[in-house]
């Protein structure tokens, strides 16, 4: 018999759920301990998304909302990298969805109270599927930092939100990529909700100078690791044992 | 026999924030020029309305306020207990006026898992939002099913078990509220 299971999550390398410095968590973060159990079919299997859902401009945020091909304001960037699992296997066909503020730090969303201007040519929404080598790439503009109400007014470092589906529901990940050199990173409570320094640093996109210098844009590399799936073989055992 | 130990750490989570709908369900917030449809608008493309059940409920914070800025994702097998890649996934956002989410889907069947055990019918559910540094996972079981031998329910005590079980309110219609905190805090799972 062949039993599949996800690699147990190492919570020491994830953010704390209940983190008072991030005010919004006060009345939303559950207080009780999570229940652990062995992976079953729902955690191991799909959903998997088909190529035909992806449109030609879905990973080009500089064009997918612009009218008459007018560029959004701000400087163009490429964000690229690979999606792999914890055993270093590239994940093909992973769905990556991103969202971000415009160059002025404003989201195209009714709930955004930041008094910065919206950009009529930029929605800040994109998606793509990874290639057979796990590669992905987005063309977008540099998101601005923005103020928000936390313990008083605080500023978020520049960031892009990422949502990723691998091959199994248990690999599902939602995170944010930050930008190398941004002084706001080290004072951000959301970043600092992650206690482990190495884990924190793994969320920082690294400036790729060689690629930046050969193209008319800055390039940032951000690699993503999803949970591994283990296969355990039991010999000479009856099903159910 | 087990394969090699993992050599990389999983990328850490960060909160999805208050604006996750831009990236995950843009059409639902009137960003209509990019994707033709939002992902997970209809969990089973191949089923008729008459064959579906409804699961309705709200997500309450620690102050008892029903939230409307959360995203709920659901994932399940079909009525025969089969998981397929292309069907069974849905995304929902509570209605701004009623603060209720509504999932119209197939009533899942029971299945025999990798562990060889029979799992009672359930829908897997996750919640992402502002204030949650990690996505939360739970399950919806149904009160009119045989639940005694389910491998997950059997490791949870009677009181807490109740908040994983949807109440039947009428034919083909269930109620399932989620409590992020408080006396009735929902059981969340380390999946
Ligand atoms: Fe943000």
């Amino acid at each position: 018999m062949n039993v599949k299971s996800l690699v147990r999550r190492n919570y020491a390398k994830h953010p704390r759920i209940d983190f008072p410095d991030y005010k919004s968590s006060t009345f939303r973060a559950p207080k009780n301990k999570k229940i652990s159990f062995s992976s079953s079919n729902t955690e191991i299997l799909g959903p998997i998304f088909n190529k035909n859902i992806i449109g030609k401009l879905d990973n080009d945020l500089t064009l997918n909302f612009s009218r008459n091909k007018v560029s959004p304001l701000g400087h163009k960037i490429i964000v690229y990298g690979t999606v792999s699992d914890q055993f270093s296997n590239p994940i093909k066909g992973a769905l990556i969805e991103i969202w971000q503020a415009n160059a002025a730090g404003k989201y195209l969303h009714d709930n955004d109270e930041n008094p910065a201007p919206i950009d009529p040519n930029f929605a800040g929404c994109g998606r793509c599927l990874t290639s057979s080598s796990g590669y992905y790439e987005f063309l977008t503009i540099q998101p601005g930092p923005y103020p928000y109400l936390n313990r008083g007014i605080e500023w978020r470092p520049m960031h892009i939100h990422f949502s990723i589906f691998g091959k199994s529901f248990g690999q599902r990940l939602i995170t944010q990529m930050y930008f190398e050199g941004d002084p706001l990173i080290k004072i951000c409570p959301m970043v600092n909700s992650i206690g482990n320094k190495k884990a924190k640093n793994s969320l920082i996109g690294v400036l790729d100078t060689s690629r930046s210098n050969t193209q008319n844009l800055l390039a940032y590399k951000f690699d993503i690791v999803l949970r591994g799936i283990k296969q355990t073989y039991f010999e000479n055992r009856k099903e159910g044992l | 026999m087990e394969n090699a130990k993992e050599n990389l750490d999983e990328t850490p989570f960060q909160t999805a924030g208050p604006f996750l709908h831009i990236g995950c369900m843009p059409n639902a917030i009137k960003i209509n020029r990019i994707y033709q449809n939002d992902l997970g608008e209809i969990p089973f493309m191949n089923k008729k309305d008459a064959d579906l059940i409804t699961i309705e409920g709200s997500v309450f914070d620690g102050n008892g306020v029903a939230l409307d800025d959360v995203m709920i994702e659901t994932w399940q097998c079909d009525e025969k207990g089969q998981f397929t890649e292309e069907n069974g996934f849905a995304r929902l956002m509570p209605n701004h006026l009623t603060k209720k989410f509504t999932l119209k889907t197939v009533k899942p069947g029971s299945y025999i898992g990798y562990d060889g055990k029979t799992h009672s019918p359930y829908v897997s559910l996750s919640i992402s939002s502002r204030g949650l540094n990690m996505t939360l996972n739970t399950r919806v079981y149904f009160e009119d099913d045989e639940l005694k031998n389910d491998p997950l329910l059997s490791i949870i005590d009677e009181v807490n078990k109740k908040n994983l079980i949807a109440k039947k309110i009428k034919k083909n219609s269930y109620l399932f509220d989620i409590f992020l905190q408080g006396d009735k805090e929902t059981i969340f799972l380390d999946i």
Side-chain angles (χ1 to χ4, degrees):
Chain A
M1 177 165 80
N2 177 4
V3 176
K4 292 182 182 174
S5 64
L6 288 147
V7 172
R8 291 314 318 167
R9 216 158 230 157
N10 181 356
Y11 285 95
K13 293 182 174 172
H14 280 288
R16 275 172 52 194
I17 293 283
D18 190 14
F19 191 70
D21 288 356
Y22 176 30
K23 278 279 178 248
S24 290
S25 76
T26 312
F27 294 107
R28 294 193 174 198
K31 303 285 187 199
N32 296 334
K33 207 171 170 300
K34 288 178 185 158
I35 303 275
S36 279
F37 63 106
S38 48
S39 304
S40 61
N41 301 44
T42 1
E43 288 77 41
I44 298 293
L45 297 167
I48 288 171
F49 299 98
N50 196 293
K51 273 207 296 283
N52 65 22
I53 67 164
I54 306 289
K56 219 172 61 218
L57 293 178
D58 284 6
N59 72 338
D60 182 352
L61 288 75
T62 70
L63 281 181
N64 70 11
F65 197 71
S66 82
R67 294 181 195 272
N68 307 316
K69 298 198 171 175
V70 178
S71 283
L73 294 171
H75 67 263
K76 286 185 186 173
I77 58 171
I78 277 183
V79 175
Y80 74 93
T82 55
V83 177
S84 63
D85 70 12
Q86 288 179 273
F87 300 107
S88 303
N89 303 311
I91 301 180
K92 176 195 174 186
L95 175 71
I96 304 182
E97 298 164 290
I98 63 169
W99 61 102
Q100 64 168 91
N102 69 20
K106 176 80 172 176
Y107 284 95
L108 190 60
H109 196 292
D110 287 347
N111 294 352
D112 189 0
E113 287 166 359
N114 180 7
I118 63 161
D119 181 337
N121 295 303
F122 190 74
C125 164
R127 66 182 174 186
C128 70
L129 290 174
T130 53
S131 73
S132 54
S133 53
Y135 182 82
Y136 76 90
E137 181 175 303
F138 289 99
L139 178 60
T140 184
I141 51 107
Q142 178 71 51
Y146 59 82
Y148 72 110
L149 199 58
N150 190 35
R151 297 164 289 195
I153 290 173
E154 295 186 42
W155 283 77
R156 293 282 355 255
M158 301 176 284
H159 62 276
I160 297 177
H161 295 266
F162 277 70
S163 158
I164 304 113
F165 282 93
K167 296 290 177 201
S168 81
F169 200 63
Q171 288 178 316
R172 181 102 182 76
L173 176 72
I174 294 183
T175 190
Q176 302 180 30
M177 182 200 102
Y178 301 96
F179 291 84
E180 184 182 354
D182 186 340
L184 295 169
I185 294 173
K186 65 174 187 297
I187 54 170
C188 175
M190 289 173 219
V191 176
N192 289 328
S193 65
I194 304 170
N196 182 285
K197 200 171 167 201
K198 187 174 159 228
K200 217 185 280 196
N201 287 338
S202 72
L203 295 180
I204 300 174
V206 179
L207 180 68
D208 175 346
T209 40
S210 66
R211 192 160 176 186
S212 299
N213 294 350
T214 51
Q215 291 177 269
N216 266 336
L217 34 77
L218 290 176
Y220 287 90
K221 186 175 191 307
F222 178 52
D223 291 332
I224 296 160
V225 180
L226 304 183
R227 289 167 81 187
I229 297 170
K230 289 197 272 199
Q231 303 216 18
T232 310
Y233 302 95
F234 293 104
E235 286 168 53
N236 303 324
R237 285 215 207 170
K238 277 192 295 194
E239 296 274 312
L241 292 181
Chain B
M1 190 187 86
E2 220 168 79
N3 52 8
K5 179 133 177 64
E6 66 276 9
N7 56 8
L8 297 174
D9 288 332
E10 184 190 14
T11 298
F13 272 79
Q14 288 279 267
T15 181
F19 311 122
L20 76 171
H21 318 96
I22 295 173
C24 296
M25 34 201 324
N27 288 289
I29 56 160
K30 299 188 201 76
I31 297 176
N32 304 114
R33 293 198 338 250
I34 304 180
Y35 309 148
Q36 200 163 22
N37 295 99
D38 286 343
L39 213 64
E41 273 180 1
I42 301 169
F44 288 87
M45 294 291 192
N46 52 347
K47 299 287 192 256
K48 294 193 299 281
D49 252 25
D51 301 328
L52 303 179
I53 59 162
T54 300
I55 304 171
E56 193 183 75
S58 295
V59 181
F60 295 96
D61 72 8
N63 292 321
V65 175
L67 306 176
D68 63 9
D69 63 353
V70 302
M71 175 174 74
I72 293 155
E73 293 180 328
T74 64
W75 169 237
Q76 63 170 100
C77 57
D78 68 11
E79 72 279 10
K80 297 190 189 93
Q82 296 289 324
F83 288 90
T84 56
E85 292 178 351
E86 65 276 14
N87 284 307
F89 174 73
R91 266 183 179 159
L92 313 162
M93 184 171 66
N95 178 288
H96 287 305
L97 297 173
T98 65
K99 315 290 181 194
K100 280 178 192 287
F101 64 85
T102 306
L103 173 65
K104 285 191 84 174
T105 190
V106 165
K107 172 87 189 289
S110 61
Y111 69 87
I112 296 173
Y114 290 128
D115 50 6
K117 293 175 183 161
T118 301
H119 295 245
S120 299
Y122 65 87
V123 173
S124 291
L125 184 151
S126 80
I127 303 160
S128 304
S129 88
R130 170 173 76 85
L132 294 178
N133 277 332
M134 291 182 78
T135 296
L136 301 175
N137 289 284
T138 188
R139 284 184 181 182
V140 186
Y141 288 87
F142 302 90
E143 69 172 354
D144 50 345
D145 285 327
E146 169 63 58
L147 303 174
K148 266 212 309 286
N149 300 315
D150 181 79
L152 174 67
L153 289 180
S154 54
I155 61 167
I156 300 174
D157 63 84
E158 284 305 316
V159 179
N160 284 314
K161 201 183 280 188
K162 264 191 240 153
N163 67 27
L164 295 183
I165 302 171
K167 288 195 183 68
K168 188 163 186 172
I169 43 180
K170 57 178 192 255
K171 188 171 184 277
N172 295 336
S173 186
Y174 296 85
L175 176 70
F176 186 77
D177 285 328
I178 297 157
F179 299 89
L180 299 181
Q181 286 182 357
D183 300 346
K184 291 188 275 187
E185 183 175 312
T186 300
I187 290 282
F188 294 104
L189 305 171
D190 175 19
I191 67 168

